[in-house]
Amino acid sequence: MFKKAKRISPSQQPVAIIGAGIAGLATAVRLAVAGHPVTVFEAGPTFGGKMQQFALPGGYRFDAGPSLFTLPQLVDDLFRLAGREPAEYFRYQRLDPITHYFFADGTRLTAWADAEKFAAEIEAKLATPAAEVTRFLARAGRAYDATAGTFLHKSLHKAGTYLSSETLKAVGALPQLGLLGTMHQRHANAFGKDPRLVQLFDRYATYNGSDPYQAPATLSMIPHLEHGIGAFYPEGGIYAIAESLLRLATEFGVKFRYNEAVEEIITAEKRVTGLRTALDVYDFGRVVSNMDVVPTYRRLLPGQPAPERTLGQPRSSSALIFYWGIRREFSELDLHNIFFSADYKAEFRAIFEERTVADDVTVYVNITSKKTPTDAPVGHENWFVMVNVPHDQGQDWDALASKTRAAVLRKLSQALGTAVEPLIAAERVWTPPGIAADTSSFGGALYGSSSNNALAAFLRHPNFSGQLEGLYFCGGSVHPGGGIPLCLLSAKIVSSLIDEA
């Protein structure tokens, strides 16, 4: 008589994760803590995805990708879930000020962490009453509190989400919170007397690679993350986030297979059965892809029907990044610095309609040596200089990079009253094709699809496959979107889906 096969409980099911980006690491931690044997397959030689670090000759360290850190509790939650004390793995400090703004007309503005102090600064520099600013930020906070629990923490592709009273409350709150129309319309209605202030708040569309002239007004709640909850800096830089999660994952037995790219997700009878790499074939009944959803379907599932409508959604913006070792210090600069263009609408039109880079661009300069002095030699600074650009569609990026570099140097030199180019001691450039090649991001789009219409959140790929049992998705190209906090939330959603299966 044959013995009945012992059923493996859901908490014992092995899971494969494709990609060791921040979402892949967080998913690995959550699943391992829940008792799943987890193996992470990473095509590159190390972990972190876009969250890499590197050094340039002369002693300049850089975080390659993300530079802003908000909602640190989402990282802390992972350690607490594992029964660990977060501070033993990962420390951070709240920023104050958050950002230094340099407007095209020469106006300079400091964004203080405290909302009332920030509002007073705006009243002093831009002649907009402080009360209007605090009222706007308070409404952004109410909008976040009313909607985040539904639209960010839960799957938007499960019927149960829409049957809850919390969801009905969130949807009903949108009109009274002034969240109909576009971001720009919302900001123009609030601050139309000063286009500089409208521009300042419009820039939050770039937090998910979108256009404020098209993106829904719901994104106007993003400033609450900084001025209501806070912006933070991790000790050791952004890379320390990935480093701490790797340590935690390893402690819970997660296996990492570096330099082993997945070539195919193997399926049979509408379910996942394993993975194939150049080295071997592996049996897995559950697979999580932290790779961009487009190459996941095009490369790894060539025999499966792809969700073409979803994959065809307009892409987010990408970035053109210059990493410069600067052989002096600038006291007027801090960790985060924004140098605005004179015509924001033309800049976004160039990105999303003309698929090119405007002649006058907004420049973001991140300098981690302001917080971690060892990131640059004494008396020097490490400048991460970024411009928002379209994703790669075959443009001549050598020419665009050269043109944009010259424009950036002119803008920074004029604003700072110092010729910047002679100060560059070391340099590296990252273009959209390079981002695509290094991170498997389709076209180098930093956030997957854009949020340039009111239904964009619902049109993002879900965190699970509707066609293949056992296939899940996390990371910036799927719900709820890109950026560190949303990638961490995608990991939370995926782990819940797997444990509920």
Side-chain angles (χ1 to χ4, degrees):
M1 178 179 287
F2 293 102
K3 290 184 178 180
K4 186 177 181 180
K6 183 178 180 182
R7 185 178 183 275
I8 299 176
S9 71
S11 63
Q12 295 174 316
Q13 289 279 0
V15 181
I17 298 176
I18 303 171
I22 182 66
L25 291 171
T27 302
V29 167
R30 287 184 173 276
L31 292 175
V33 169
H36 295 275
V38 179
T39 303
V40 180
F41 293 82
E42 169 55 49
T46 188
F47 60 93
K50 298 183 184 73
M51 199 179 283
Q52 296 287 326
Q53 69 172 358
F54 67 89
L56 288 182
Y60 303 94
R61 190 204 74 89
F62 293 89
D63 286 311
S67 57
L68 177 68
F69 184 40
T70 56
L71 298 181
Q73 64 269 28
L74 296 178
V75 178
D76 290 343
D77 286 349
L78 293 168
F79 293 100
R80 295 195 176 100
L81 180 70
R84 303 290 199 266
E85 174 54 47
E88 294 180 1
Y89 293 75
F90 176 64
R91 296 175 184 270
Y92 51 86
Q93 58 181 277
R94 184 169 183 169
L95 296 177
D96 194 20
I98 299 171
T99 305
H100 287 295
Y101 291 104
F102 298 77
F103 291 93
D105 66 356
T107 303
R108 296 185 178 186
L109 180 76
T110 301
W112 302 101
D114 179 77
E116 292 188 0
K117 188 175 180 181
F118 179 41
E121 171 87 0
I122 289 173
E123 181 171 276
K125 300 287 182 65
L126 304 182
T128 296
E132 293 184 12
V133 179
T134 54
R135 187 161 53 246
F136 175 88
L137 292 174
R139 182 174 284 187
R142 292 197 299 273
Y144 179 84
D145 292 340
T147 60
T150 295
F151 294 103
L152 300 181
H153 289 254
K154 297 179 181 179
S155 170
L156 293 183
H157 304 85
K158 292 289 186 180
T161 300
Y162 299 95
L163 299 176
S164 70
S165 59
E166 184 181 17
T167 299
L168 295 175
K169 180 181 177 182
V171 173
L174 297 182
Q176 66 182 13
L177 290 170
L179 297 181
L180 301 180
T182 68
M183 281 188 79
H184 178 74
Q185 289 168 346
R186 171 78 183 95
H187 300 149
N189 288 339
F191 308 116
K193 295 179 182 178
D194 196 324
R196 294 169 298 181
L197 192 53
V198 174
Q199 185 177 33
L200 188 154
F201 284 104
D202 276 356
R203 82 154 184 108
Y204 284 99
T206 66
Y207 279 38
N208 67 3
S210 301
D211 175 359
Y213 299 90
Q214 301 182 62
T218 49
L219 298 186
S220 295
M221 68 180 74
I222 294 176
H224 174 68
L225 298 180
E226 294 184 4
H227 296 284
I229 301 173
F232 301 83
Y233 178 75
E235 290 184 7
I238 293 290
Y239 180 73
I241 302 173
E243 202 169 34
S244 67
L245 294 186
L246 177 79
R247 176 185 165 193
L248 182 61
T250 303
E251 288 179 5
F252 275 81
V254 176
K255 298 177 181 178
F256 289 85
R257 301 187 66 90
Y258 298 113
N259 294 311
E260 189 168 356
V262 172
E263 297 180 347
E264 182 184 3
I265 298 173
I266 303 171
T267 65
E269 298 180 352
K270 298 296 182 180
R271 67 165 293 111
V272 167
T273 61
L275 300 174
R276 179 178 59 80
T277 73
L279 299 181
D280 208 344
V281 174
Y282 302 87
D283 293 331
F284 285 100
R286 296 180 182 183
V287 171
V288 181
S289 179
N290 183 208
M291 179 188 281
D292 187 299
V293 69
V294 175
T296 296
Y297 279 99
R298 303 295 189 225
R299 299 181 199 169
L300 308 187
L301 292 162
Q304 295 293 326
E308 298 298 342
R309 184 185 178 198
T310 299
L311 301 189
Q313 291 300 306
R315 298 292 96 186
S316 78
S317 59
S318 184
L320 178 58
I321 308 174
F322 303 95
Y323 306 93
W324 291 337
I326 299 293
R327 52 168 66 94
R328 63 158 280 189
E329 295 179 308
F330 287 80
S331 60
E332 62 266 55
L333 300 179
D334 207 328
L335 177 67
H336 300 300
N337 311 274
I338 301 284
F339 297 79
F340 280 119
S341 66
D343 190 340
Y344 223 25
K345 190 169 187 177
E347 187 176 355
F348 283 100
R349 184 171 61 247
I351 294 172
F352 289 100
E353 297 178 25
E354 299 167 3
R355 307 299 184 189
T356 189
V357 184
D359 293 332
D360 181 19
V361 292
T362 295
V363 181
Y364 166 64
V365 180
N366 175 255
I367 310 173
T368 62
S369 60
K370 295 289 187 181
K371 301 299 179 184
T372 306
T374 54
D375 281 355
V378 175
H380 293 215
E381 293 179 343
N382 62 332
W383 286 17
F384 167 110
V385 182
M386 189 187 87
V387 174
N388 293 303
V389 301
H391 71 283
D392 179 40
Q393 292 181 292
Q395 298 95 323
D396 184 346
W397 285 106
D398 288 340
L400 287 174
S402 178
K403 182 194 84 166
T404 304
R405 182 181 187 274
V408 167
L409 286 168
R410 285 195 300 272
K411 179 180 290 290
L412 296 180
S413 298
Q414 180 178 5
L416 298 172
T418 300
V420 172
E421 187 167 27
L423 301 176
I424 299 174
E427 180 174 20
R428 178 183 289 187
V429 182
W430 212 13
T431 64
I435 294 171
D438 295 341
T439 68
S440 294
S441 301
F442 181 64
L446 297 182
Y447 307 93
S449 58
S450 72
S451 295
N452 285 343
N453 67 71
L455 297 177
F458 303 93
L459 296 175
R460 276 188 173 272
H461 196 286
N463 302 102
F464 60 94
S465 169
Q467 302 296 321
L468 293 170
E469 183 182 348
L471 179 59
Y472 302 87
F473 302 86
C474 66
S477 69
V478 299
H479 177 69
I484 296 171
L486 299 189
C487 284
L488 293 172
L489 288 174
S490 76
K492 180 180 179 181
I493 293 170
V494 164
S495 62
S496 295
L497 291 172
I498 289 177
D499 285 336
E500 292 168 3

